[in-house]
Amino acid sequence: MKDYLQIICAAPLFSGLEKEEIDAILLCLEAIEKNFEKDAYVFRTGDTTDSLGIVLSGTLLIIQEDFWGNRNIISSAAQGQTFAETFACAPGAVMNVSVVAQTACKILFLNIKKILHTCPSSCSHHNKMIQNLLSSLAIKNLLQNKKLSHLAQRTTRAKILSYLSEMAQQNRSFEFDIPYSRQQLADYLSVERSGLSVELGKMRRDGLLNFHKNHFVLLK
């Protein structure tokens, strides 16, 4: 864990806390590190959990899968970001999503009950942790609302433009990388990969954008 202390300290969940406080709270929250190979399941639909996770290295995908294996990407989690906190905060809640390692990952798990309830030593930093947790949940709720706005568009082109416009605003640049492969972007926007590729080609010919793999440049 010492090798990843800088990442842990920079994680939004620990915003506003000093290193000494973080050291103490990691012990209090029964922090456990686990490694996952690429494509391994961290959680599966139907699981329950008392712990949230922080990505120390690698990238995760949060997905929904139907009976036939069709995927819908809900979101992703990269280094320093948290996941599964919504389910961990609702005791006994059954997960309706799966969490899959997009790359080889190292995950830090924290016992959510220890965050939500003051420990016997009455740590002064618990209130700050709870504020950070609520902030994380609020941000993820906003991200889901943004995704719904993309999916509400009537055509594949409109969905692509909506998503890429958001990414440009997020990066404050007309040139940026997206966190998804072509198939993953299709899964995220709930469109067929072939249709997505065809529409991207048309948009390039129409002078709306240029792209190479997951690197995009929007054109006026």
Side-chain angles (χ1 to χ4, degrees):
M1 194 178 303
K2 292 181 180 179
D3 294 338
Y4 295 92
L5 190 57
Q6 185 174 355
I7 295 168
I8 294 171
C9 291
L13 185 64
F14 296 106
S15 176
L17 297 175
E18 300 296 331
K19 179 181 177 299
E20 293 73 17
E21 293 176 312
I22 294 173
D23 288 336
I25 208 165
L26 288 176
L27 181 63
C28 179
L29 299 182
E30 302 173 353
I32 298 175
E33 282 185 25
K34 290 186 179 180
N35 294 311
F36 295 88
E37 298 297 324
K38 180 181 178 180
D39 297 327
Y41 279 78
V42 180
F43 291 115
R44 290 183 180 271
T45 299
D47 287 347
T48 60
T49 181
D50 293 327
S51 298
L52 63 79
I54 300 178
V55 182
L56 298 181
S57 66
T59 308
L60 299 173
L61 293 177
I62 292 81
I63 65 172
Q64 285 184 326
E65 295 178 293
D66 65 18
F67 180 80
W68 296 273
N70 298 310
R71 283 188 172 189
N72 174 25
I73 294 178
I74 305 301
S75 61
S76 60
Q79 191 177 70
Q81 295 181 324
T82 57
F83 64 95
E85 56 268 57
T86 300
F87 300 100
C89 285
V94 176
M95 299 182 73
N96 65 341
V97 297
S98 296
V99 181
V100 181
Q102 185 179 13
T103 65
C105 294
K106 183 180 286 291
I107 307 298
L108 181 69
F109 291 98
L110 304 175
N111 189 329
I112 196 73
K113 291 180 180 178
K114 300 289 186 175
I115 297 178
L116 298 179
H117 302 287
T118 304
C119 65
S121 59
S122 299
C123 302
S124 61
H125 41 260
H126 264 146
N127 285 339
K128 185 59 179 176
M129 285 283 295
I130 292 172
Q131 291 174 15
N132 292 342
L133 180 60
L134 289 174
S135 177
S136 173
L137 291 170
I139 290 170
K140 291 193 174 183
N141 185 53
L142 290 173
L143 290 175
Q144 287 307 303
N145 286 338
K146 288 181 179 179
K147 180 180 179 180
L148 289 175
S149 71
H150 306 327
L151 298 184
Q153 304 301 315
R154 293 177 179 269
T155 65
T156 298
R157 175 173 291 205
K159 290 180 179 181
I160 296 170
L161 288 173
S162 178
Y163 173 71
L164 294 180
S165 293
E166 181 205 334
M167 292 301 296
Q169 293 171 359
Q170 181 178 312
N171 288 276
R172 297 184 179 181
S173 172
F174 294 114
E175 185 170 355
F176 50 83
D177 293 331
I178 66 171
Y180 301 127
S181 67
R182 195 70 75 243
Q183 180 61 61
Q184 291 165 352
L185 179 58
D187 292 341
Y188 179 79
L189 295 176
S190 295
V191 298
E192 292 292 333
R193 177 177 176 173
S194 58
L196 175 70
S197 297
V198 168
E199 194 57 51
L200 283 172
K202 290 180 179 178
M203 293 168 71
R204 177 155 56 185
R205 289 193 297 272
D206 291 344
L208 294 174
L209 51 79
N210 281 321
F211 60 87
H212 177 68
K213 295 184 177 180
N214 68 333
H215 184 77
F216 285 80
V217 180
L218 305 188
L219 306 173
K220 291 186 178 180

Coordinates of all heavy atoms in Angstrom, one line a residue, residues 63-93:
I63 N -20.6 -2.1 -16.2 CA -21.4 -2.5 -17.3 C -22.7 -3.2 -16.8 O -22.8 -3.6 -15.7 CB -20.7 -3.5 -18.2 CG1 -20.4 -4.8 -17.4 CG2 -19.4 -2.9 -18.7 CD1 -19.8 -5.9 -18.3
Q64 N -23.7 -3.2 -17.7 CA -24.9 -4.0 -17.6 C -24.9 -5.1 -18.7 O -24.5 -4.7 -19.9 CB -26.2 -3.2 -17.7 CG -26.4 -2.4 -16.4 CD -27.7 -1.6 -16.5 OE1 -28.2 -1.2 -17.6 NE2 -28.4 -1.4 -15.4
E65 N -25.2 -6.3 -18.4 CA -25.2 -7.4 -19.4 C -26.6 -8.1 -19.3 O -27.1 -8.3 -18.2 CB -24.1 -8.4 -19.0 CG -22.7 -7.9 -19.2 CD -21.7 -9.0 -18.8 OE1 -21.6 -9.3 -17.6 OE2 -20.9 -9.4 -19.7
D66 N -27.1 -8.4 -20.5 CA -28.4 -9.2 -20.5 C -28.1 -10.7 -20.5 O -26.9 -11.1 -20.5 CB -29.3 -8.7 -21.7 CG -28.7 -9.0 -23.0 OD1 -27.8 -9.9 -23.1 OD2 -29.1 -8.4 -24.0
F67 N -29.1 -11.4 -20.6 CA -29.0 -12.9 -20.6 C -28.1 -13.4 -21.7 O -27.4 -14.5 -21.6 CB -30.4 -13.5 -20.7 CG -30.4 -15.0 -20.7 CD1 -30.3 -15.7 -19.5 CD2 -30.5 -15.7 -21.9 CE1 -30.3 -17.1 -19.5 CE2 -30.6 -17.1 -21.9 CZ -30.4 -17.8 -20.7
W68 N -28.1 -12.7 -22.9 CA -27.4 -13.2 -24.0 C -25.9 -12.6 -24.1 O -25.2 -12.8 -25.1 CB -28.1 -12.8 -25.3 CG -29.4 -13.6 -25.4 CD1 -29.7 -14.8 -25.9 CD2 -30.7 -13.1 -24.9 NE1 -31.0 -15.2 -25.7 CE2 -31.7 -14.1 -25.1 CE3 -31.1 -11.9 -24.2 CZ2 -33.0 -14.0 -24.7 CZ3 -32.4 -11.8 -23.9 CH2 -33.4 -12.8 -24.1
G69 N -25.5 -11.8 -23.1 CA -24.2 -11.3 -23.0 C -24.0 -10.0 -23.7 O -22.9 -9.5 -23.9
N70 N -25.1 -9.3 -24.1 CA -25.0 -8.0 -24.7 C -24.6 -7.0 -23.6 O -25.3 -7.0 -22.6 CB -26.3 -7.6 -25.4 CG -26.6 -8.5 -26.6 OD1 -25.8 -8.8 -27.4 ND2 -27.9 -9.0 -26.6
R71 N -23.7 -6.1 -23.9 CA -23.2 -5.2 -22.9 C -23.7 -3.8 -23.2 O -23.8 -3.3 -24.3 CB -21.6 -5.2 -22.9 CG -21.0 -6.3 -22.3 CD -19.5 -6.1 -22.2 NE -18.8 -7.1 -21.4 CZ -17.6 -7.1 -21.0 NH1 -16.8 -6.0 -21.3 NH2 -17.0 -8.0 -20.2
N72 N -23.9 -3.1 -22.1 CA -24.2 -1.6 -22.1 C -23.2 -1.0 -21.0 O -23.3 -1.3 -19.8 CB -25.6 -1.4 -21.7 CG -25.9 0.1 -21.6 OD1 -25.2 1.0 -22.1 ND2 -26.9 0.5 -20.8
I73 N -22.3 -0.2 -21.5 CA -21.3 0.4 -20.6 C -22.0 1.6 -19.9 O -22.5 2.5 -20.5 CB -20.1 0.8 -21.3 CG1 -19.3 -0.4 -21.9 CG2 -19.2 1.6 -20.4 CD1 -18.1 -0.1 -22.6
I74 N -22.0 1.5 -18.6 CA -22.6 2.6 -17.8 C -21.6 3.7 -17.6 O -21.9 4.9 -17.7 CB -23.1 2.1 -16.4 CG1 -24.0 0.9 -16.6 CG2 -23.7 3.2 -15.6 CD1 -25.3 1.2 -17.4
S75 N -20.3 3.3 -17.2 CA -19.3 4.3 -16.9 C -18.0 3.6 -16.8 O -17.9 2.3 -16.9 CB -19.6 5.1 -15.6 OG -19.6 4.2 -14.5
S76 N -16.9 4.3 -16.5 CA -15.6 3.7 -16.3 C -15.0 4.3 -15.0 O -15.5 5.4 -14.5 CB -14.7 4.0 -17.5 OG -14.5 5.4 -17.7
A77 N -14.0 3.7 -14.5 CA -13.3 4.2 -13.3 C -11.8 4.1 -13.5 O -11.3 3.0 -13.8 CB -13.7 3.5 -12.0
A78 N -11.1 5.2 -13.4 CA -9.6 5.2 -13.6 C -8.9 5.4 -12.3 O -9.5 5.5 -11.2 CB -9.2 6.2 -14.6
Q79 N -7.6 5.5 -12.3 CA -6.8 5.6 -11.2 C -7.2 6.8 -10.2 O -7.5 7.9 -10.6 CB -5.3 5.9 -11.6 CG -4.3 5.8 -10.5 CD -2.9 6.0 -11.0 OE1 -2.5 7.1 -11.3 NE2 -2.1 5.0 -11.0
G80 N -7.4 6.4 -9.0 CA -7.9 7.4 -8.0 C -9.3 7.5 -7.8 O -9.8 8.1 -6.8
Q81 N -10.1 6.9 -8.7 CA -11.6 7.1 -8.7 C -12.2 5.9 -7.9 O -11.6 4.8 -7.8 CB -12.1 7.1 -10.1 CG -11.7 8.3 -10.9 CD -12.3 8.4 -12.3 OE1 -12.5 7.3 -12.9 NE2 -12.6 9.6 -12.7
T82 N -13.4 6.2 -7.4 CA -14.1 5.2 -6.6 C -15.2 4.5 -7.4 O -15.6 5.0 -8.4 CB -14.7 5.8 -5.3 OG1 -15.6 6.9 -5.8 CG2 -13.7 6.4 -4.4
F83 N -15.7 3.4 -6.9 CA -16.8 2.7 -7.5 C -17.5 1.8 -6.5 O -16.9 1.6 -5.4 CB -16.3 1.8 -8.7 CG -15.4 0.6 -8.2 CD1 -15.9 -0.6 -8.0 CD2 -14.0 0.9 -8.1 CE1 -15.1 -1.7 -7.6 CE2 -13.2 -0.2 -7.7 CZ -13.7 -1.4 -7.4
A84 N -18.7 1.5 -6.8 CA -19.6 0.6 -5.9 C -20.1 1.3 -4.6 O -20.7 0.6 -3.8 CB -18.9 -0.7 -5.6
E85 N -19.8 2.6 -4.5 CA -20.2 3.2 -3.2 C -21.7 3.3 -3.1 O -22.3 3.2 -2.0 CB -19.6 4.6 -3.1 CG -19.9 5.6 -4.3 CD -18.8 5.5 -5.3 OE1 -18.6 4.5 -5.9 OE2 -18.3 6.6 -5.6
T86 N -22.5 3.4 -4.2 CA -23.9 3.5 -4.1 C -24.5 2.2 -3.5 O -25.4 2.3 -2.6 CB -24.5 3.7 -5.5 OG1 -24.0 4.9 -6.1 CG2 -26.1 3.7 -5.5
F87 N -24.0 1.1 -3.9 CA -24.5 -0.2 -3.4 C -24.0 -0.5 -2.0 O -24.7 -1.0 -1.2 CB -24.1 -1.4 -4.4 CG -24.6 -1.2 -5.7 CD1 -23.8 -0.7 -6.8 CD2 -25.9 -1.5 -6.0 CE1 -24.3 -0.6 -8.0 CE2 -26.5 -1.4 -7.3 CZ -25.6 -0.9 -8.3
A88 N -22.8 -0.1 -1.7 CA -22.2 -0.3 -0.4 C -23.0 0.6 0.7 O -23.1 0.2 1.8 CB -20.8 0.1 -0.4
C89 N -23.5 1.7 0.2 CA -24.3 2.6 1.1 C -25.7 2.1 1.4 O -26.3 2.7 2.3 CB -24.3 4.0 0.6 SG -22.8 4.9 0.7
A90 N -26.1 1.2 0.6 CA -27.5 0.6 0.8 C -27.3 -0.9 1.3 O -27.2 -1.7 0.4 CB -28.3 0.7 -0.5
P91 N -27.3 -1.1 2.5 CA -27.1 -2.5 3.0 C -28.0 -3.5 2.4 O -29.2 -3.3 2.4 CB -27.3 -2.4 4.6 CG -27.1 -0.9 4.9 CD -27.5 -0.2 3.6
G92 N -27.4 -4.6 1.9 CA -28.2 -5.7 1.3 C -28.6 -5.4 -0.1 O -29.2 -6.3 -0.7
A93 N -28.3 -4.2 -0.7 CA -28.7 -3.9 -2.1 C -28.0 -4.8 -3.0 O -26.8 -5.0 -3.0 CB -28.4 -2.5 -2.4

